[in-house]
Amino acid sequence: MGLERRQIHVAYAYQRIAEEIESQILEGTLKPGEQLPGETEMAEMFGVTRSTVREGLRRLESEGLVCRPTPRRLVVAIPRIDRLSTRSGRTMALMKVTYRELWQVTLKTEMLAARLAAEMAKDDEIAALKSLHEELTGAEGNARRTIELDGRFHSQVARIGKNRVLGLAREPVAHLLFRGFAQIAPFVPQFYKRQIEAHSNIVGAIEARDPVRAETWARKHIEDFWRGVQIAGLEDEAAVKNVKALS
Amino acid sequence: MGLERRQIHVAYAYQRIAEEIESQILEGTLKPGEQLPGETEMAEMFGVTRSTVREGLRRLESEGLVCRPTPRRLVVAIPRIDRLSTRSGRTMALMKVTYRELWQVTLKTEMLAARLAAEMAKDDEIAALKSLHEELTGAEGNARRTIELDGRFHSQVARIGKNRVLGLAREPVAHLLFRGFAQIAPFVPQFYKRQIEAHSNIVGAIEARDPVRAETWARKHIEDFWRGVQIAGLEDEAAVKNVKALS
DNA sequence: TATGAATTAGTGTCGGACATTCACACACTG
DNA sequence: CAGTGTGTGAATGTCCGACACTAATTCATA
């Protein structure tokens, strides 16, 4: 039986400022796009110094809830997905997650993405996908470029599926996993061709609006990647050595 | 053909400070747990004022790369998963993602979580799961408590699976989706019982180390949830009305 | 009306200041 | 020696005031 540890947390002024503004954004009192008053004005609004306001604003900025298109305009914003991705990616890297962990999740997300894409695809989206695919075909042998284009290909597939939650969830994971291509390719040179072929089939299935086939090929594609991971002996290896190199 | 608009971005001092420290953390020069110099010291290290350093630090703090257990200790940290979750959750709420989007993803994550749990479970983890399940059984009829315990149940299942990436990816999504329970329960009172039954079966399958059955029950469980969503007519409804209420 | 110049106001940064309180070291007690 | 009290110093949180630079706005001009 004991004393519960409860946060006393007599929040500092700069924290309360941040929280206050945050609240108003989340409540909807402040709407995305709306412009906030100047620092000086806020300072006297909240009864603190400008320095204190600024410290609070830095936090909101970093959280993506406000942004400054130019130093003079401070507007309410919706956090950008890619920023969140970066952050998740960094965290996973710092946690030293393994290829196995990444792969298990990616297998599922990419299958889902492919299926949804086949269900939802519109012609222009397919065209965009094809053009990406062709670019990738041309990049055969170039690991760096392949990784870049592969990532964009899969992102595009996901985008076609019109599921923003999936987009949010898969992005950092897939990104980290596919980076591993660089470590695998030297062991399995035929990987380029296999990848291109799998992508072809995925595109084909999406174009044919065949969700099942799309999902199947996505599965094959990602399973194939796992084989590569195994050949390279990376299963339980941390997926990212040098976290810094992520950006 | 034109001049590309490229970010000129003559970074401000406070940004550079943040980036510099960030770099050193990501590179590994600064290791988690390590303590940083005082603000004054940093200020003269970087040749700026303390105010400027502070603004930079606020960003790092908010990113979770450093934390202050007490105002006097500033230590390098690994971003906490729950903080990331909060942020993703907020973003999804602000984006007004639908139940459909959340559900499509959750179906897959929870199936995977259940399967992995059945493969990896250790006895004490199962015990913990059972105890959670009993608590939930006792909460029948209480929506708020049910949501809380249901969330913890699913998180525990995921934790048993020993896949941190899955944990990271599913947490905010599942959290948001399951909150919908409160809107569904009034329409489908028998939901409490169905949920308890499904959880029982999941626990049973995990205990029996039967991945397939675990996955199957997880699927049934989440599919059932979708039926609830449909009955309540929420399919394409934004999953979170009042973002603020996310806590 | 559209273009350019002038004005103004606000940001980024600086330096200094002070109260509070926390970290560390030391003394004290059992 | 372990564990508890005390005291000192230092660092934080907050404040104030100031200035250069630049971007938003206003005004003048064609």
Side-chain angles (χ1 to χ4, degrees):
Chain A
M1 230 21 96
L3 183 60
E4 279 186 33
R5 129 174 258 145
R6 196 165 290 183
Q7 296 236 31
I8 291 292
H9 200 50
V10 188
Y12 298 113
Y14 70 89
Q15 285 173 351
R16 285 207 307 253
I17 305 258
E19 277 161 27
E20 176 57 27
I21 298 174
E22 188 178 311
S23 282
Q24 296 199 21
I25 295 175
L26 298 186
E27 273 169 15
T29 313
L30 290 168
K31 292 191 176 43
E34 198 168 328
Q35 184 162 353
L36 279 74
E39 298 177 351
T40 320
E41 191 173 336
M42 286 178 159
E44 56 187 69
M45 263 177 72
F46 293 112
V48 297
T49 336
R50 197 160 73 96
S51 326
T52 306
V53 170
R54 301 188 105 239
E55 291 187 31
L57 289 180
R58 292 294 161 247
R59 190 175 107 185
L60 295 175
E61 253 172 66
S62 137
E63 295 194 7
L65 284 170
V66 304
C67 69
R68 276 180 155 50
T70 107
R72 303 288 268 280
R73 304 186 72 81
L74 180 65
V75 299
V76 178
I78 290 183
R80 296 184 39 152
I81 331 107
D82 52 4
R83 275 203 126 62
L84 281 177
S85 271
T86 307
R87 208 157 298 175
S88 301
R90 271 197 337 219
T91 304
M92 290 191 282
L94 285 168
M95 287 167 61
K96 299 190 197 305
V97 299
T98 64
Y99 278 106
R100 169 173 273 117
E101 290 171 286
L102 288 170
W103 179 81
Q104 288 175 333
V105 174
T106 303
L107 177 63
K108 298 303 177 181
T109 57
E110 302 314 288
M111 284 170 66
L112 177 57
R115 206 193 73 212
L116 292 177
E119 288 170 1
M120 312 286 289
K122 283 183 285 190
D123 291 336
D124 60 329
E125 293 167 336
I126 294 178
L129 194 64
K130 278 185 171 171
S131 116
L132 263 173
H133 179 50
E134 267 162 42
E135 265 195 89
L136 185 126
T137 306
E140 186 178 333
N142 180 341
R144 177 180 228 84
R145 185 118 184 84
T146 294
I147 291 175
E148 144 95 19
L149 288 167
D150 180 53
R152 281 169 55 192
F153 178 87
H154 285 276
S155 294
Q156 173 67 8
V157 170
R159 198 169 313 120
I160 294 175
K162 310 272 184 311
N163 185 317
R164 295 162 292 173
V165 173
L166 176 60
L168 204 68
R170 61 165 294 287
E171 186 64 35
V173 182
H175 179 65
L176 243 52
L177 179 66
F178 293 149
R179 274 172 47 94
F181 187 93
Q183 289 182 263
I184 295 171
F187 290 87
V188 197
Q190 69 272 29
F191 231 58
Y192 291 98
K193 279 211 162 31
R194 293 240 286 276
Q195 182 185 54
I196 292 168
E197 194 199 325
H199 282 206
S200 284
N201 283 300
I202 292 173
V203 172
I206 292 175
E207 193 170 17
R209 268 72 175 182
D210 185 337
V212 174
R213 210 171 90 213
E215 187 172 313
T216 301
W217 272 104
R219 178 170 54 70
K220 286 188 186 176
H221 180 36
I222 307 297
E223 280 175 351
D224 202 38
F225 194 92
W226 184 244
R227 249 163 263 132
V229 170
Q230 288 175 309
I231 291 172
L234 300 170
E235 291 104 315
D236 292 302
E237 213 69 17
V240 181
K241 311 284 186 192
N242 183 0
V243 188
K244 179 63 189 308
L246 263 185
S247 71
Chain B
M1 239 11 98
L3 182 60
E4 280 184 34
R5 130 171 256 146
R6 198 165 288 181
Q7 296 237 29
I8 289 293
H9 200 49
V10 187
Y12 298 114
Y14 71 90
Q15 285 173 351
R16 283 206 309 252
I17 305 266
E19 276 160 29
E20 175 57 27
I21 298 174
E22 188 179 311
S23 282
Q24 296 200 20
I25 293 175
L26 298 186
E27 274 170 14
T29 314
L30 290 168
K31 290 192 178 44
E34 198 168 329
Q35 184 163 352
L36 278 75
E39 297 176 352
T40 319
E41 192 173 335
M42 286 178 159
E44 55 185 72
M45 263 176 72
F46 294 111
V48 297
T49 336
R50 196 160 73 93
S51 325
T52 306
V53 171
R54 301 190 104 239
E55 291 187 32
L57 289 181
R58 293 294 161 246
R59 188 174 112 186
L60 295 174
E61 252 173 66
S62 137
E63 294 194 10
L65 284 170
V66 305
C67 69
R68 282 194 201 287
T70 106
R72 305 290 269 278
R73 304 186 71 81
L74 180 66
V75 299
V76 179
I78 290 182
R80 295 185 37 156
I81 330 108
D82 51 4
R83 274 203 124 64
L84 280 178
S85 271
T86 307
R87 206 158 302 174
S88 302
R90 269 194 342 214
T91 303
M92 291 191 281
L94 285 168
M95 287 167 60
K96 300 190 196 304
V97 299
T98 65
Y99 277 106
R100 167 172 274 118
E101 291 171 287
L102 288 169
W103 179 81
Q104 287 175 336
V105 174
T106 304
L107 176 64
K108 298 302 177 182
T109 58
E110 301 314 287
M111 283 171 66
L112 176 57
R115 204 193 75 212
L116 292 177
E119 287 171 1
M120 310 287 289
K122 283 182 284 188
D123 291 335
D124 59 329
E125 293 167 336
I126 294 179
L129 193 64
K130 278 185 170 172
S131 116
L132 263 173
H133 178 50
E134 268 163 40
E135 264 195 272
L136 185 127
T137 307
E140 186 179 332
N142 180 340
R144 179 181 226 83
R145 186 120 183 83
T146 294
I147 291 175
E148 144 94 20
L149 288 167
D150 180 53
R152 280 169 54 193
F153 179 88
H154 285 275
S155 295
Q156 173 66 10
V157 170
R159 198 168 314 120
I160 293 175
K162 311 269 182 315
N163 185 318
R164 295 161 293 172
V165 173
L166 176 60
L168 204 68
R170 62 166 294 287
E171 187 64 33
V173 182
H175 180 65
L176 243 54
L177 178 66
F178 292 149
R179 273 172 48 95
F181 187 92
Q183 290 182 259
I184 296 172
F187 290 85
V188 197
Q190 68 273 29
F191 231 59
Y192 290 99
K193 279 209 165 28
R194 293 240 286 275
Q195 181 185 54
I196 291 168
E197 194 198 324
H199 281 205
S200 283
N201 282 300
I202 292 173
V203 172
I206 292 175
E207 195 171 14
R209 269 71 175 182
D210 186 338
V212 174
R213 211 173 89 214
E215 188 172 312
T216 302
W217 272 103
R219 178 170 54 69
K220 287 188 188 179
H221 179 34
I222 307 296
E223 280 175 350
D224 202 37
F225 194 92
W226 185 244
R227 250 164 262 133
V229 170
Q230 288 175 309
I231 292 173
L234 299 170
E235 291 106 316
D236 291 304
E237 211 70 14
V240 181
K241 310 284 184 190
N242 183 357
V243 188
K244 180 64 191 308
L246 271 181
S247 86

